[in-house]
Amino acid sequence: MSSIKKIVLAYSGGLDTSVAIKWLGDKYHAKIVTCTVDLGQGEDFKFIGEKALKVGAENHYTIDAKDEFAKNYIFPSIKANGLYEGKYPISTSLGRPLIAKKLVEVAHKEGADAVAHGCTGKGNDQLRIETSTKALDPNLTVLAPTRNWGMSRDQEVEYANKHGIPVSKAAKKYSIDQNLWGRSIESGPLENPWNAPEDDVWEWTMSPEEAPKKPTVMEITFKGGAPVAIDGKKLDPVSLIEHVNRVAGENGVGRIDHMEDRIVGIKSRETYECPAAVTILEAHKDLEKLILNRRELTFKRLVDEQWSFMVYAGLWDDPLREDLDAFIDKTSERMDGKVKVKLYKGSMIVVGRESPYSVYDFKTATYDSSSTFDQTLSNGFVPLWGLQTVVSRKVMSKMSKKK
Ligand code: ARG
């Protein structure tokens, strides 16, 4: 007999986690408490909660974590220019450690001994939820029923029908995960990397062809590296992200289609719609180029890449992520300013930037006669700069003559 008496299950309302309520309850003779975390996925949470109780949960929690998600997860990611493999704004990845945190909180409140999730054994989400849960409370057992029950989708439907678990009629064409920072769409016809995404993949973005004929210019104000206002209007973090999602999405900005390397080794074709992320990250990176110096920028790119990798790989709660944040927060102290972006038929370009801490100096940069830059200094600088290149080439040509 297992010693597990109460399990807190991360519940989405979908087939896997609905089946898991019944399956876990039967297998462990345990009470099931379900928990749905609202990260801005825009679902019917009342319906989801009622479904959980109907299927057999003893208690259900709906936790609105949008504000915490925006402030403590998305904003740090903006400061870190969070992108995996240069393309993916780690939107799903960022949400998972927060879900784990909430599961642990509910487990403590409920006196539960285990936490369960519906992640498959093929993806990254299992790494994120399990590692964060264990990092926050090593005494909790983590259960991953979908990884172990060995049921195919058809068998799951059969199981659901047998136990009176409602199954939605609409056959699912894609596997979708969404939150404030983006929408992840995978599987189905997308599993052939040659197939262009069909129109039904996209929900947050206009097709660039049908987007407005007139460009939208938007000004994003940053304070300490975080976006705080749009077109001069102060907005709270959640509203700001929602606003940019809407405006950029209307202009067809934010569609991503790329080949991704999952941590388990699978190469997968992934599509995303992240209008706000694409826009804000590009603006932030541009502002950094105005404010940070060359040495800081070069080093920060390494830090950013490591930070993004750690978040993608489920290591949010590793101390290294916080160590990197210390560096990122330090560079972000000067990151005040404004960036002007132009959104037009699927394209997003930065067309202006300004900051009180700008390192750009018109006086040295200008080509007009008022420039204070003493060009004659380059008479000495250029030969020194190229010194090793010239010598190396000389040596190499000697060598090739010998051969
Ligand atoms: N590949 C992305 C990631 O690992 C997205 C995963 C999306 N999850 C899903 N259940 N559809 O973060």
Side-chain angles (χ1 to χ4, degrees), residues 34-317:
T34 46
C35 174
T36 305
V37 186
D38 177 4
L39 299 179
Q41 61 269 47
E43 302 230 37
D44 184 345
F45 294 105
K46 193 164 163 277
F47 174 81
I48 292 174
E50 285 165 3
K51 182 169 174 184
L53 297 174
K54 201 156 83 192
V55 175
E58 179 204 339
N59 198 359
H60 175 82
Y61 289 77
T62 301
I63 299 173
D64 180 353
K66 292 194 289 292
D67 195 51
E68 188 177 354
F69 184 45
K71 276 194 198 129
N72 300 345
Y73 294 76
I74 297 176
F75 279 14
S77 191
I78 293 170
K79 294 182 198 175
N81 300 305
L83 275 188
Y84 179 63
E85 295 188 326
K87 280 261 199 172
Y88 166 42
I90 50 175
S91 41
T92 291
S93 329
L94 283 165
R96 302 309 184 186
L98 179 52
I99 293 174
K101 182 167 173 254
K102 296 297 162 194
L103 291 174
V104 171
E105 283 170 17
V106 172
H108 289 166
K109 202 162 153 189
E110 286 277 334
D113 17 55
V115 154
H117 62 77
C119 309
T120 73
K122 298 175 84 171
N124 300 309
D125 289 331
Q126 52 181 346
L127 299 167
R128 300 164 185 154
I129 299 218
E130 290 185 35
T131 307
S132 283
T133 302
K134 284 298 224 182
L136 296 174
D137 184 352
N139 293 320
L140 284 169
T141 300
V142 185
L143 302 169
T146 35
R147 206 164 63 193
N148 296 300
W149 61 31
M151 283 190 271
S152 67
R153 199 189 145 82
D154 289 344
Q155 287 167 322
E156 274 185 62
V157 172
E158 200 180 303
Y159 182 98
N161 288 334
K162 200 170 115 197
H163 293 96
I165 299 167
V167 180
S168 82
K169 294 272 179 320
K172 274 210 311 185
K173 187 164 167 191
Y174 305 106
S175 164
I176 296 168
D177 176 70
Q178 53 187 51
N179 64 41
L180 263 183
W181 204 226
R183 232 180 128 241
S184 309
I185 315 100
E186 54 183 15
S187 78
L190 294 167
E191 284 179 351
N192 180 344
W194 179 249
N195 287 347
E198 293 166 35
D199 290 343
D200 62 359
V201 163
W202 314 114
E203 277 187 14
W204 289 9
T205 52
M206 279 292 264
S207 100
E209 292 90 335
E210 281 155 38
K213 290 200 178 68
K214 270 191 150 162
T216 303
V217 175
M218 181 157 82
E219 278 182 25
I220 307 174
T221 306
F222 289 88
K223 183 122 193 56
V228 292
I230 301 295
D231 296 327
K233 195 169 155 236
K234 271 195 127 203
L235 290 169
D236 66 86
V238 174
S239 310
L240 186 142
I241 294 163
E242 285 172 344
H243 176 81
V244 180
N245 265 333
R246 194 165 50 246
V247 177
E250 278 164 8
N251 283 283
V253 169
R255 295 185 177 186
I256 298 161
D257 179 344
H258 89 137
M259 294 306 300
E260 187 170 302
D261 292 286
R262 290 195 194 153
I263 300 304
V264 294
I266 294 172
K267 252 195 201 296
S268 74
R269 193 277 188 88
E270 303 273 338
T271 57
Y272 302 98
E273 315 187 81
C274 307
V278 165
T279 306
I280 295 170
L281 289 171
E282 189 62 25
H284 178 268
K285 214 185 287 177
D286 188 276
L287 188 65
E288 274 191 339
K289 288 186 177 175
L290 182 72
I291 294 171
L292 303 185
N293 73 31
R294 179 163 56 184
R295 283 180 272 263
E296 287 179 296
L297 285 171
T298 305
F299 188 72
K300 188 163 183 296
R301 292 296 167 256
L302 302 176
V303 173
D304 290 348
E305 200 182 328
Q306 184 63 32
W307 193 96
S308 304
F309 174 77
M310 293 199 65
V311 175
Y312 183 82
L315 303 175
W316 175 270
D317 286 288

